[in-house]
Each structure stands twice: as C-alpha cells, then as structure tokens.
C-alpha cells in the first residue's frame, strides 16, 4: 500500500471489521441507484435498507448503523424523509453521508442541498464539479456529470471541510479525501466505472458502511471505502470486455477481495 504516513487502521483491517459487523446502512437514494447500491453493499459485506418514507425514515435512522442521502431524484415527500432521517441520525450519534447530486442544476436542488448541509453531514461525497460548486466556486458540471478534473476540486474540498467541520470526498480519476487538516489521494479504479449507471451513488452507500463501524474516524473510514472501490474497479476492468461485463465482475471483486489483498493493492498517498 503506497502511503507516506499511516492511517490509524489499514483499509484491510477496516474491511474485516465491516464484514464482521455487517452494518445496517439506510440508503435514501435515487430510483436509478437503488438496485446497484444494494448489490454493492451486499457484495462488500454490509446490509442495505432502502427506507425513505417520511413516516418512518427518522425512526429507522435511529436503529441503522449509518445513513446515506442521495438527492438524485427529488420530490417533497422524499426531502421530508431525508431531513427527518438526518435529524434522527444526529440525535442518536449515527454518521450520515450526503451525496449532493447535481445540486447546482436547479433552484429546488440548491435549496434542498442548503437545508441538508445545514444538518452537518459526517461525510460529503461528490464528483469534482459538485464539490467545487458546493464550495462556492463556479464549476463546469453539466447535469449529473462532472465537467472538472478531480485535482481542480482539491482546494475547494479542503476549504469546504474546514468550513463545515466534515469529511469531504471528491471522486474521479484520482479520489481525494480530506477533513480540512489531513488529506489523502486514492489511485486506481477504471475508465469503465463512469459507464455503469449509479456506481458513484453506490459508493456513497459503501462509505456509510465503513463509517458505521468507525464513527469515531470518518476520515479513515472514507479512505478505506474508496480504496476498496478502486481496487475492485481495477481488478474488474482486467476481466471485462465492456461496461456490461464490468458491472458483473465489479460485484464479484467486491465480494472476493480480502483484507490482505486490499492492503497490498490499495494505492493511497498523503496529499
């Protein structure tokens, strides 16, 4: 594992701990992402629950190990569930992860994002354009796709993490994770990953799974989740002939990678 300084625990150790606990992760995510997000969590070793209704989302968040919120498909009833769940997660000391999908695209998305950010997410995970715009800088994003390189979002991510007191993860060709003081880059993955619908959304759920077992250290938990995703993506690409076969191989690799393999193949460097 390429590191210039040590994480408190290695990604492999955190993977073993996550699988031993099989944390219950509440995923309020978009319609496109539900199936792949659930499959990713199951393959990695966690237990997904797609509970979004306002009538039960808050109650469920109190018993889940972590909450993840993705605003890919919005409606007033879903927003009510998101806010209720986030408030309950905070009240019960549960980590929650926010995925601000294309938050800059419409007035409604901007307003909902402001309300959710005010609830102090434990981790914010987005592509470069989403993080740049969330930090208050003009981005090149178009819809849900990033129009900016991940490296361009590093400075804005550090500033956003300091401003909000949260961990910020930028995912792209090279991932970047920071709490405003300590920052990491995670190398790996595959160009095929953006060709499979909602893989990024499913990564938000995986961050929640690792955060559930390391609520005291969301920075290291996020790094471990991104490292597992990157190693699995690289291994799947070596077997795949295109996006379809990649998506199947990726799930298989998430399940097959063990702690020793993850620690040996993860490419993490201090930024």
């Amino acid at each position: 594992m390429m590191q210039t300084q040590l994480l408190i625990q290695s990604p492999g150790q955190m993977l073993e701990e996550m699988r031993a606990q099989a944390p219950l992760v509440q995923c309020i995510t978009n319609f496109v992402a539900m199936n792949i997000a659930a499959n990713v969590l199951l393959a990695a070793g966690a237990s997904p629950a797609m509970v979004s209704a306002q009538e039960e989302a808050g109650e469920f968040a109190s018993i889940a190990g972590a909450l993840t919120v993705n605003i890919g498909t919005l409606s007033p009833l879903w927003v009510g569930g998101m806010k209720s769940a986030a408030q309950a997660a905070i009240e019960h000391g549960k980590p929650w992860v926010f995925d601000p999908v294309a938050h800059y695209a419409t007035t409604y998305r901007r307003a909902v994002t402001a309300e959710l950010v005010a609830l102090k997410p434990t981790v914010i995970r987005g592509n470069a354009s989403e993080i740049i715009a969330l930090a208050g800088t003009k981005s090149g994003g178009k819809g849900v796709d990033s129009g900016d390189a991940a490296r361009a979002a590093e400075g804005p991510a550090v500033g956003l993490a300091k401003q909000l007191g949260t961990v910020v993860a930028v995912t792209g060709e090279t991932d970047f994770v920071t709490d405003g003081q300590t920052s990491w880059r995670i190398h790996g993955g595959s160009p095929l990953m953006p060709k499979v619908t909602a893989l990024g959304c499913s990564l938000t759920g995986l961050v929640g799974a690792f955060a559930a077992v390391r609520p005291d250290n969301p920075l290291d938990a996020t790094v471990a989740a991104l490292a597992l995703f990157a190693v699995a993506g690289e291994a799947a690409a070596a077997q795949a002939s295109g996006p379809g076969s990649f998506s199947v191989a990726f799930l298989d690799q998430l399940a097959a990678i063990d702690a020793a393999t993850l620690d040996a193949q993860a490419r993490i460097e201090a930024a």
Side-chain angles (χ1 to χ4, degrees), residues 68-146:
T68 66
V69 174
N70 172 299
I71 64 166
T73 48
L74 284 177
S75 71
L77 290 177
W78 276 52
V79 172
M82 292 171 181
K83 291 162 64 176
S84 176
Q87 288 164 346
I90 294 166
E91 289 169 7
H92 290 86
K94 306 297 180 68
W96 79 279
V97 184
F98 179 44
D99 189 339
V101 179
H103 65 91
Y104 44 75
T106 67
T107 301
Y108 184 48
R109 285 178 178 274
R110 289 191 292 272
V112 169
T113 295
E115 290 182 279
L116 291 170
V117 167
L119 293 174
K120 301 293 185 183
T122 310
V123 182
I124 297 174
R125 189 220 66 84
N127 65 35
S129 293
E130 289 162 350
I131 298 303
I132 289 171
L134 199 59
T137 304
K138 184 174 177 57
S139 76
K142 295 180 179 180
V144 300
D145 297 320
S146 180

Side-chain angles (χ1 to χ4, degrees), residues 1-3 7 11 14 125 150-151 154 167-179 182-190 193 203 207 218-234 262 265-271:
M1 180 165 48
M2 177 179 66
Q3 289 182 281
L7 301 169
M14 285 184 272
R125 189 220 66 84
R151 285 293 179 105
E154 291 186 0
V167 171
V168 176
V170 182
T171 52
E173 59 275 15
T174 298
D175 298 334
F176 179 78
V177 183
T178 183
D179 63 0
T182 303
S183 302
W184 300 95
R185 295 189 187 99
I186 300 94
H187 302 271
S190 164
M193 297 176 88
L203 176 53
V207 171
L219 178 67
D220 282 12
T222 303
V223 171
L226 270 58
L228 175 59
F229 225 66
V231 171
E234 215 162 34
L262 181 56
Q265 297 184 9
R267 290 183 283 142
I268 303 166
E269 65 170 340

Side-chain angles (χ1 to χ4, degrees), residues 180-261:
Q181 302 298 324
T182 303
S183 302
W184 300 95
R185 295 189 187 99
I186 300 94
H187 302 271
S190 164
L192 286 172
M193 297 176 88
K195 304 296 183 182
V196 178
T197 299
L199 269 195
C201 302
S202 65
L203 176 53
T204 299
L206 190 62
V207 171
F210 278 86
V213 298
R214 288 310 308 270
D216 59 320
N217 193 341
L219 178 67
D220 282 12
T222 303
V223 171
L226 270 58
L228 175 59
F229 225 66
V231 171
E234 215 162 34
Q239 305 172 8
S241 57
S245 55
F246 175 85
S247 64
V248 174
F250 181 68
L251 291 176
D252 288 345
Q253 287 300 322
L254 281 176
I257 291 169
D258 59 18
T261 301

